[in-house]
Amino acid sequence: MMNKYRYYASMERGPEARPPVCLRYAMWATAASFSQSYRSVEDLLYKRARQYIEATEMKNQGEHYLTLYHAQTWCLIATYEVTKAYFTRSWMSVGRAICLVQKLGLSNLDVEDTRLKHLSLPAHDWIELEEGRRTFWAAFYADRWASTMTGWPMILDETKINTNMPASEECFERGIPHESVSLAAARSPEGGRNLSPFGGLLLSTALYGFNHQHVYQAGVDDRPEDVENGKFWKRHRILDNAITNTFMFLPEHLRLPDAGHNMTSVFTHISLHTLVILLHQIAIGQAVTNNLDAGVVEQSQARILMAAEEIVSILRLVSNQEAVEMASWAGFCLFVAAKVFLKDHNSAPLHYSPSANIQFLISIMKTIGLQYPITDYFVAQLELEVQTAGIDLNTPIERCDDVLDTDTSTRVTFNGSMYFTNEDQ
């Protein structure tokens, strides 16, 4: 969200013009969570960040709170909280970040409309404009994933977004103005030609928002028993085609294996394959409930297994250490893929062993869990299900009781499955 050199230059200003202390503590907490040397103080830095930004919110009439810096602070705090599995706090922090970016007009940076109220001054230059864009899209990314994982409503309405996609990292850091396009235009082959890795990630994230609406905002006239004309199946086909088109229209520099060195691009592909799994799992559920033709179920099952195998193939292109550099939600995507192999284990032919894929995914998830504790919850759930299924893996499973025996007052529900999280009081 922040231009490194512009940030360092701002620290040379007077006390009132410098970035607020809350932002600095949020940055330090995030950095400390990636460092073995400073990980012991990350919780202290995180709590200081919250204390300072909450104090600023209560200062006078709250006018000191409406700045880009404070929106960035809440984005960093929300991201940190979700990696630690503080879901309730993260949900509230995401809401604060979104309220700030909306008040600042960051969702309408690339449209001139006198009816829109902006509480921030126009950007002085392209770097400042790009910082505003990136801050908005960081809040959008958090909004979509928070709703995907919890089932709670999304806040941002995609049809009312008038802010272009972020430029490339190189252009942003060097301050080289770069023409960007809207989210809708980026979905076309022409518009997506110069898409950045961050922009590619946002394309897949936006599709999760459509899937959330498909699942949780279904109408009474969905008619899931009618495969040809039912609204449920029409939405299903539209989203399925959108995912396919996203794969097809990604520019060459974001395709695998050429983009295998960029973990943002790798996660984009993994998240798209995960979305295929989730979409067709919902389809199977409706097909079974409504006693539809067996061919519908078989087709979705084939798509699910193919997507899970693609995730494994992608992960074999990167090392365990590189996998840690993916987004914090990577562990969830691997969990979804492993569940596919777990279900497929009993029906697998003799020459095919899904347990090898399960073991591979668990090893990657444990490595990711060293950086993102949220992954530990998915690992614990997966290992428990592996034991219950009686699958014998080559490596012993160590049950993590401090993860499984969590406070049941905080739950995360996804697609009808409930997972427990543990928040310190």
Side-chain angles (χ1 to χ4, degrees), residues 275-308:
L275 186 56
V276 171
I277 295 174
L278 300 175
L279 176 65
H280 283 274
Q281 284 177 339
I282 298 165
I284 289 175
Q286 289 289 359
V288 172
T289 301
N290 293 279
N291 297 317
L292 299 181
D293 185 78
V296 177
V297 176
E298 292 173 358
Q299 183 179 9
S300 287
Q301 286 176 337
R303 291 288 305 279
I304 287 173
L305 185 58
M306 185 184 302

Side-chain angles (χ1 to χ4, degrees), residues 25-327:
Y25 271 105
M27 293 171 65
W28 293 337
T30 303
S33 68
F34 283 87
S35 171
Q36 291 290 346
S37 301
Y38 296 97
R39 191 163 291 175
S40 60
V41 298
E42 62 173 310
D43 188 62
L44 173 63
L45 296 171
Y46 154 69
K47 290 179 178 178
R48 289 278 180 87
R50 285 197 66 106
Q51 289 171 359
Y52 278 113
I53 196 169
E54 289 169 359
T56 304
E57 183 181 10
M58 298 302 296
K59 187 177 180 180
N60 297 335
Q61 300 298 317
E63 67 275 10
H64 301 282
Y65 184 69
L66 298 175
T67 70
L68 180 64
Y69 288 137
H70 291 92
Q72 292 171 338
T73 301
W74 277 120
C75 286
L76 288 174
I77 288 175
T79 301
Y80 177 87
E81 288 170 337
V82 78
T83 62
K84 302 301 177 184
Y86 303 157
F87 283 106
T88 302
R89 281 189 232 166
S90 178
W91 171 260
M92 300 301 294
S93 298
V94 168
R96 289 176 180 235
I98 293 172
C99 286
L100 273 178
V101 299
Q102 288 182 318
K103 284 186 177 182
L104 293 171
L106 302 187
S107 59
N108 296 290
L109 290 177
D110 294 287
V111 64
E112 294 183 4
D113 192 338
T114 57
R115 296 173 300 173
L116 300 174
K117 296 182 179 180
H118 291 237
L119 296 182
S120 61
L121 297 174
H124 292 92
D125 55 20
W126 182 82
I127 292 179
E128 193 171 316
L129 174 63
E130 182 66 12
E131 278 197 343
R133 287 172 178 162
R134 285 171 169 263
T135 302
F136 167 76
W137 287 114
F140 174 87
Y141 174 84
D143 178 45
R144 290 303 188 260
W145 270 105
S147 296
T148 294
M149 288 299 299
T150 61
W152 298 331
M154 298 179 294
I155 302 176
L156 291 170
D157 184 353
E158 187 178 313
T159 62
K160 297 180 180 179
I161 295 175
N162 297 295
T163 295
N164 287 347
M165 301 288 275
S168 67
E169 295 293 331
E170 182 180 6
C171 290
F172 180 50
E173 287 299 331
R174 295 186 178 183
I176 303 173
H178 178 80
E179 184 178 353
S180 54
V181 297
S182 65
L183 176 59
R187 293 192 172 108
S188 66
E190 192 68 26
R193 180 179 301 174
N194 296 319
L195 204 61
S196 66
F198 186 19
L201 177 61
L202 292 171
L203 278 184
S204 67
T205 303
L207 291 176
Y208 275 83
F210 288 123
N211 186 65
H212 181 276
Q213 293 175 328
H214 176 53
V215 176
Y216 294 104
Q217 297 180 17
V220 293
D221 57 344
D222 267 6
R223 292 187 296 142
E225 70 280 358
D226 186 354
V227 178
E228 295 298 327
N229 302 309
K231 286 188 176 181
F232 172 87
W233 292 103
K234 287 183 178 180
R235 288 199 312 269
H236 171 86
R237 287 189 286 269
I238 290 173
L239 183 52
D240 197 20
N241 290 334
I243 298 171
T244 302
N245 290 337
T246 301
F247 277 118
M248 291 175 56
F249 297 154
L250 281 176
E252 289 298 326
H253 63 277
L254 297 185
R255 293 175 180 269
L256 298 178
D258 293 343
H261 64 282
N262 188 300
M263 290 302 106
T264 300
S265 296
V266 170
F267 178 67
T268 297
H269 285 263
I270 289 177
S271 65
L272 285 171
H273 286 298
T274 302
L275 186 56
V276 171
I277 295 174
L278 300 175
L279 176 65
H280 283 274
Q281 284 177 339
I282 298 165
I284 289 175
Q286 289 289 359
V288 172
T289 301
N290 293 279
N291 297 317
L292 299 181
D293 185 78
V296 177
V297 176
E298 292 173 358
Q299 183 179 9
S300 287
Q301 286 176 337
R303 291 288 305 279
I304 287 173
L305 185 58
M306 185 184 302
E309 290 174 341
E310 284 293 328
I311 291 175
V312 172
S313 298
I314 291 172
L315 288 171
R316 294 192 187 280
L317 296 175
V318 301
S319 66
N320 285 22
Q321 268 55 41
E322 289 176 323
V324 176
E325 299 175 15
M326 287 192 290

Side-chain angles (χ1 to χ4, degrees), residues 1-13:
M1 295 181 291
M2 290 167 283
N3 180 278
K4 180 169 58 176
Y5 303 105
R6 184 65 60 88
Y7 176 82
Y8 288 147
S10 68
M11 294 301 296
E12 301 298 326
R13 301 173 186 167

